[in-house]
Structures are given as C-alpha cells and as structure tokens.
Amino acid sequence: GENVEQHPSTLSVQEGDSAVIKCTYSDSASNYFPWYKQELGKRPQLIIDIRSNVGEKKDQRIAVTLNKTAKHFSLHITETQPEDSAVYFCAASRDNYGQNFVFGPGTRLSVLP
Amino acid sequence: DTGVSQDPRHKITKRGQNVTFRCDPISEHNRLYWYRQTLGQGPEFLTYFQNEAQLEKSRLLSDRFSAERPKGSFSTLEIQRTEQGDSAMYLCASSLGDSENEKLFFGSGTQLSVL
C-alpha cells in the first residue's frame, strides 16, 4: 500500500520568511496530492491540492510542486505570518475503485513574530 | 453550516463499554470516510463508503469496529468493548466522489477518551 513520509516534523521560521515542507510517496499510481492545515483543536482544512498531470500550482502565498519521477511533492509558503502557525499534513491518493487517502505524519510550523 | 458535522464532539467512556458516533456529510457528497487521529500523528484511514456501500476497510479496523451508512446519507461508527487504545480523535470526511473532484472535507471530529 501507499506510504507517505513528511519532513521536517517541526519547523520554526521568522515572520516574513519562507517555509518549505517536503513529502515523498511510494505508490506510483497515486495521482492526487492535497495539503491540509490543522490548527489546534480544529478540523483539517484543505489549503491546496495538485493532480499528477500538473507540476506546480500556486494560490497567493502558497504553492505546491510535484516531481512524479522522484515521487515527491512540496509545500511552499512565502511571506509567512503568525496565523500560518499550525500542523500541515500532506496526503497521496490513487484514483482507483478502492480509493483512500494516505496522510503523512505532519509538520508543526511555528512562525515567530 | 453546510459542512461535515459530527456528533458528539467529545465522548468519555469506561473500558468495555460500547460507543457510537454519527457523521453527517455534505449533502451532495457520495463518498464518506472515517479516519482516526492520535496526538502528533496524521489521520489514519479506517473505512470509506460510496453511497451506502462500504468499499474498503483498513486492517486497523478490528472486528470490534463497525460502520454503516444505511441510506447513503449519514454514517455511524460503533466501537464495541472499548479499550484504552481506542482513545483518539475520530474524524469523518466526505467528497463528491467524482474523480475530478477528490477534495476531502473533514468534520470537527469526535474525541474519544476510554478510561
């Protein structure tokens, strides 16, 4: 089955700096890669996603890049703000009949003012 | 609020008791998922439904766990003879079920504590 690894497990950056979180996956059939943000005590919320036919996607300060050959994808947050502090999860999904999402273990991002 | 809703938000029970959680997905969503999340970990897949059919179950789902989605709308997750290791956040999520729209939307979860 699919296995998703995520690095780093914790990340601290100064406000205004950029943050990068990296994930690798094992199943070459995976074709959908979302990122979720989870604040303490709240539900995971989808912040950006990318399909395997696209190499990069951007939404304001957030971007995701995908390297299918290497089976890794990354989340980039620019101009970080204190409200970006949260746990970020990547996930990988394959588009088959028996479909499920496999999540990475998460990265705790702290943006220091 | 037209998002995914879960009930109850918190459940405290004694070991050996049975508990049941409910999830109401976004109304037009065909797929419904159950996940379990422990502190400091990502959500772990338990099972998912396409309409009323339970299509996939994780090996994590022991025979003490059962899930239903009788009319393809709300779902229930029952845990029988609870154990302390069952303590976790149980998250429900739903999606449209269209391969071009696999965005998964989560509920706020049910936090289970087994004493």
Side-chain angles (χ1 to χ4, degrees):
Chain A
E2 177 65 275
N3 181 52
V4 178
E5 297 185 351
Q6 185 171 346
H7 300 280
S9 57
T10 60
L11 178 60
S12 293
V13 299
Q14 289 295 134
E15 183 177 357
D17 287 350
S18 296
V20 180
I21 303 170
K22 299 181 179 180
C23 286
T24 61
Y25 61 99
S26 61
D27 187 351
S28 57
S30 289
N31 62 358
Y32 175 64
F33 307 93
W35 285 88
Y36 286 81
K37 175 183 180 183
Q38 188 174 28
E39 297 175 74
L40 191 62
K42 297 190 176 180
R43 70 185 75 190
Q45 290 197 305
L46 178 69
I47 56 172
I48 195 166
D49 56 7
I50 192 168
R51 296 199 68 87
S52 58
N53 57 351
V54 176
E56 183 174 356
K57 184 176 179 180
K58 190 173 181 180
D59 182 4
Q60 299 183 337
R61 296 186 298 109
I62 295 173
V64 56
T65 58
L66 171 65
N67 184 326
K68 279 195 66 181
T69 303
K71 288 190 282 189
H72 68 70
F73 56 112
S74 300
L75 177 71
H76 304 254
I77 306 174
T78 58
E79 300 171 20
T80 53
Q81 302 166 3
E83 52 265 37
D84 294 329
S85 296
V87 179
Y88 291 81
F89 296 100
C90 62
S93 170
R94 55 183 166 80
D95 194 11
N96 291 330
Y97 181 74
Q99 185 170 32
N100 62 77
F101 281 66
V102 178
F103 285 80
T107 295
R108 180 172 297 281
L109 173 65
S110 299
V111 179
L112 308 174
Chain B
D1 186 355
T2 56
V4 179
S5 61
Q6 292 186 246
D7 183 70
R9 290 295 307 274
H10 304 275
K11 179 69 177 179
I12 300 173
T13 191
K14 292 183 179 179
R15 188 176 55 184
Q17 298 294 304
N18 299 343
V19 294
T20 300
F21 311 142
R22 176 178 170 126
C23 171
D24 287 88
I26 294 172
S27 59
E28 63 268 27
H29 284 186
N30 295 324
R31 288 184 179 161
L32 185 148
Y33 299 73
W34 284 99
Y35 283 84
R36 181 170 64 189
Q37 185 178 28
T38 53
L39 198 62
Q41 299 296 318
E44 292 178 300
F45 171 78
L46 294 178
T47 188
Y48 102 98
F49 293 83
Q50 173 82 30
N51 299 312
E52 67 275 10
Q54 188 174 17
L55 295 186
E56 194 163 333
K57 293 170 64 174
S58 165
R59 287 188 298 273
L60 294 174
L61 213 64
S62 77
D63 56 6
R64 296 185 298 105
F65 288 70
S66 61
E68 294 183 345
R69 194 183 182 197
K71 297 181 180 179
S73 56
F74 73 92
S75 175
T76 58
L77 177 68
E78 181 183 16
I79 309 174
Q80 296 182 325
R81 306 181 301 282
T82 52
E83 302 172 357
Q84 287 186 324
D86 296 332
S87 296
M89 173 73 82
Y90 290 84
L91 291 166
C92 175
S94 69
S95 71
L96 270 173
D98 179 335
S99 62
E100 295 300 318
N101 291 283
E102 289 308 328
K103 298 182 191 300
L104 213 59
F105 295 90
F106 281 90
S108 296
T110 294
Q111 181 67 53
L112 173 66
S113 298
V114 181
L115 305 178

